[in-house]
Structure formats: C-alpha cells, structure tokens
Amino acid sequence: MNASEHPAPALDVVIVGAGFGGLYAIHKLRQQGLKVRAFEAGDGVGGTWYWNRYPGARCDVESMEYSYSFSEELQQEWRWSERYAPQPEILRYANHVADRFGLRDAITFGTRVTRAAFDSAHSTWTVQTDKGESVTARFFVVAGGCLSLPRMPDFPGRDSFQGKLYHTGTWPHEGVDFSGMRVGVIGTGSSGIQAIPRIAEQARHVTVFQRTANFSLPAWNKAMPEDYEAWFKAYYAARREKARYSSAGIANHPTPDKGALEVSDEERQKVYEAGWLHGGPGFTRIYKDILSNEKANQTMAEFVRNKIRAKVKDPAVAALLTPTDHAIGTKRICVDTDYYETYNRDNVLLVNVREHPIEQITPRGLRTTEKEYELDAIVFATGYDAVTGAILNIDIRVDGGPSLAEKWAQGPKTYLGLMTAGYPNLFMVTGPGSPSVLTNMITSIEQHIEWISDCLRYLGQKGIRRMEARTDYEEAWVRHVNDVADTTLFPRANSWYTGANIPGKPRVFLPYVGGHGVYRMKCADVAFKGYEGFTLQP
Ligand code: NAP
C-alpha cells in the first residue's frame, strides 16, 4: 500500500497534557474541525495546579492576568477572590474551563505518553501510553509543561527514612497535617519560599536546609478589590493586547524608558521604595537595564538586601538569607508572604547546606557533614528538570532513528521553540528557545496554540502533509537565542534557566529572553511569509 492508499488516521492531532496548554489546544483545534485527543498523567485537568498542592501555593502573576484571554465571556464571568490566586482557586478555574467548553471527553486521564514514533511513509505519529494504548494522528503537540518533571536529589538512605517524604510538585491531594511534627524543608526557590511560612505556622519545629539564598519580593496579597476588578474587566481587551506585546506577557509590568544609573541615588531609592510597596515580580523591570547592566543590578540587589536585613532580627540569620552569589532577577525571582519574617519565629532554624552539605537521609532524619537533624517529615522543594524534562521524558523518534534526547544531548535545538529539525509534524507548546518561563505562561501558551492552529489550517488548505523545521533556520535561531541571552546577566547565574540544577544537564540558556512581544511578531512574520524556515511537503 503506498502513502496515497493508506487510510487517513482517525485523529488529526494527539496532545500531551491537560494543563493550560493542553486545554486550550483541545478547544482551539476542535473549533476548526480537527479530531483531537489528549493524554494527561494526572487524574484531572490543571497541570501544575493539579500537582502543586503544597501549603501556600499560589501564582505570582496577578489573577486578572494569569487567566485565558481567548473568551471575553469567560474573562468577564470568572471572579478571582485574591490579587494572587491560591492554587485551589486556579484549579477550580481550570476545571471550569474544561466544563464550560466541553473539553473532558477529549482527554484520557491517569495516562502518560511514553513513546512517539513518526512514520515518514505515511506522515503520521503513533503515540504509545503507559496503559498500553497506541493511537495514530497526523500531528503531535506536546504541551507537557515547563516545570512538570519533579526532581528529587539522589541522597543516599532516602528509603530508610521512617518519617514521611514529600515533594512540593507531587503533594498529596488530601493535604498534610504537620501539627506537632519536626519538619525539614530542603530548598528555598519559589516553592520552598511559599511553603515554609505556612508549614512553620503549623509544625512544632521547622528546619530549613538552604544551599543558595534567593531574592524574594513581597506579594502584598489581599482580597481582590471590587473596583480594581471592575476597572480591569472594563478595559480587558486593551489590557490583554498590551500584555501580548509586552516583554513578559503582563500588562501591569512597568515599561521603563530609563536606566537605573541615569537617575540620582535619591530618585532611585524613592522609585525602589514605591516598587517595593507595590510588590510582585514586576519590580525587576522598574529600570530597563536591571537585567543587563551589572552596576544597575547592584543598586536594586542592595536595596533588597537591606530590606532582608531590616526584616530578620538575628544578624547571622539575615546574613545567611541575603543573596550574594547572583544578580537579582537572574534566578527566577520569588514572591512571598512573610518569608523572611518566618525566620524570627522560635520554631524555625536555618541551616547552611552550602557550608555543610546534606550527606544522607537517615532513618531518623537527615545528616549533613556537620550533624544529624531528627525529623518526622521531610519536604523536598528541590525543583524540576525544567523546560526540556517533560518533552525528553517521551521516547520520540522518526522512522526508528535517533531519539530526540540523543539529538538534544548537547542541549535543545529548536526553531522558534515550536519545532525541531528532523522531527516533522511535532509541535512544542512553550518549548526551549521560546519566551515561556520568562513570561506569564498563559500569554505564551495562547500565542503558541494560536500559531499552531493557524499553521494547521494553512497546511490543510494547501494539502500539505509534512512540515519540518529547516536545520539552517534552526541553527540561526539557536544562535540568536544565545546571542540575546549573552547581552543579559541571566546566563551567569546557576539557575534552572540554564539547566544548572540538574547534574549532567548541558548548560544552555533555555528560554528566549528577547521578550514576548518581539517574539510574537517574529512568529507572525514567519507565518506571513508562508512559514519561512520550514519545509512543507504535499
Ligand atoms: P527551584 O527554584 O529549582 O528551587 C529548588 C531549591 O532546591 C533551590 O533552593 C536549590 O538550591 C535547592 N536544592 C536542589 N538540590 C539541592 C540539594 N542537593 N541540596 C540542597 N538544596 C538543593 O524549584 P521550585 O522552588 O520548585 O521552583 C521552580 C520554578 O517553579 C520557579 O522558579 C517558578 O518558575 C515556578 N514556581 C512558581 C510559583 C509561583 O508562581 N508562585 C511557585 C512555585 C514554583 P540551589 O539554588 O542551590 O540549587
């Protein structure tokens, strides 16, 4: 049977994930008449917000912006209760979207995609799951999330621990009652910084094992002011449009025209104070050169260091909590409620595991090179195999050739973070080389899904069965992503943005730092030029 006689597959698109990316992909692609099916590892929708149920979990992009913009009715009718939505509310929202747009029947829950094989003779992907199912479709869309493969450091003795072990990214659905317990928390990234204050309120004692101090800004979270919500909703279309052409996909972020060193010390201090009182992650964008000029960055870093010193009563603890090894904003900035204040509590101890690394987990607790700590529970807030982890967790091959993991052994290579040369008809949602984790994820997800949906419509209209990124365009894009990153301070930090948190992961700056708006225009241009840089075959 040759390709033209081969029956068309029953599905047009198979999708990995039913988080915000997968849900919108199902909706959008179905709207244009495509037959789609999604596989989701969790037993429900919501992705990150399905798994991350640790105490204190909430989004640090404001609720009015961390939400879909594709439906005016949806954005008008949904009501957020707080400035920064807590995890249960975001999960309710994801469920509401799934029901409102009738998306559930496209999703197979509790099922992981393990393999995907492209057959060039028929231009189809055959996708296999851990439940033994195999489906074939013309296109394969991976929307598995940028921070979805939890990482647990391989400390010896983990299985010997007689208490309970948790990872923030796979938190028990029934919740955890830490009352009366001695709890150890490993990790002080965004997850640890959110969880530690809430755990400390409940537990008998908390020991925080910190390797690197992080910069954290106050959230000043509060109940959603009704007038603010009404104002935002009245101007929603314009706010969303502004977000779409902004650097971080967030309309409320500052759009500075000045550098930090262009103003007097006094003015800068005033601006920082006002920014601090506003709170949230937009703080690092107050001046245009904070993330590119070391001296400018120092002025902001020192301002925040002084805030930490003022909050923490014990000067030795304050010194340990004060970041000195990276420029502010070059590791993902954290946003907190009472994080630093928590170290003034009598039941909280900060341990420096940079000086005395964790040696092993013991039956009774945890031993550093200095001493053993007795614990009833250990919380790993140790992060993720970010950006590439979920994609490479699937064995992806074309005609039995090398896996995508082999192709990316020295670091991911993509064209626009959307496709990778040699793997036709495979689209990545917020893949490496796209702005993704440097932006409001929902803005970036919507842009990618809309680009993919326009692209699939175009391919349908032109009778094209196979689309593939060209190697020369991919190489140029990878170079561009690196060149832009090298104009900033980002690559200097040992962060998950560069893969530095995973032993053996190639050190490559993973997201595109050129800004969401600029990137959106590049993608639109590529489409306008008939998908320039892609090979299209009938
Ligand atoms: P993370 O930022 O990667 O932090 C992991 C922490 O674990 C770091 O403090 C790290 O120390 C520590 N760690 C890892 N291995 C260790 C070891 N062997 N010994 C001691 N310490 C170790 O992970 P995360 O906190 O889960 O956050 C990941 C990302 O998820 C965030 O950056 C953010 O993008 C997203 N997130 C967002 C929110 C929100 O919207 N509010 C909340 C949570 C997470 P080192 O720094 O020394 O490596």
Side-chain angles (χ1 to χ4, degrees), residues 333-370:
I333 197 82
C334 302
V335 176
D336 72 277
T337 298
D338 300 335
Y339 176 63
Y340 295 112
E341 293 82 347
T342 295
Y343 293 93
N344 295 332
R345 296 176 68 108
D346 293 337
N347 69 335
V348 177
L349 174 71
L350 182 64
V351 172
N352 179 356
V353 294
R354 170 81 56 203
E355 191 180 3
H356 298 292
I358 298 170
E359 236 175 23
Q360 73 174 108
I361 308 290
T362 66
R364 294 188 311 172
L366 179 160
R367 187 165 38 236
T368 67
T369 52
E370 185 188 34

Side-chain angles (χ1 to χ4, degrees), residues 100-247:
R100 194 186 190 289
F101 297 98
L103 309 177
R104 285 186 202 277
D105 62 332
I107 308 165
T108 304
F109 291 104
T111 304
R112 244 173 227 288
V113 169
T114 52
R115 287 163 174 267
F118 188 75
D119 170 7
S120 282
H122 306 113
S123 292
T124 53
W125 279 101
T126 296
V127 167
Q128 284 176 31
T129 74
D130 62 351
K131 297 287 152 56
E133 200 181 350
S134 166
V135 296
T136 298
R138 289 160 56 222
F139 300 99
F140 182 38
V141 173
V142 182
C146 290
L147 293 155
S148 52
L149 192 63
R151 175 186 169 259
M152 204 81 161
D154 206 9
F155 299 126
R158 222 167 59 195
D159 295 340
S160 72
F161 183 54
Q162 283 166 3
K164 292 277 194 187
L165 289 180
Y166 302 101
H167 190 288
T168 48
T170 49
W171 204 257
H173 288 197
E174 62 281 11
V176 180
D177 183 0
F178 288 115
S179 303
M181 288 194 188
R182 297 160 303 175
V183 183
V185 181
I186 306 172
T188 51
S190 296
S191 304
I193 279 177
Q194 287 187 329
I196 288 161
R198 302 290 84 78
I199 296 173
E201 282 164 2
Q202 198 180 48
R204 172 146 63 98
H205 190 267
V206 175
T207 309
V208 177
F209 299 94
Q210 174 191 273
R211 189 164 64 183
T212 311
N214 249 319
F215 288 100
S216 186
L217 307 169
W220 308 120
N221 187 38
K222 58 184 176 188
M224 179 67 71
E226 279 194 24
D227 53 347
Y228 182 68
E229 182 191 0
W231 169 76
F232 221 99
K233 286 186 171 179
Y235 292 97
Y236 236 144
R239 300 308 286 166
R240 298 296 201 185
E241 201 53 14
K242 179 161 187 255
R244 289 187 193 111
Y245 290 94
S246 68
S247 176

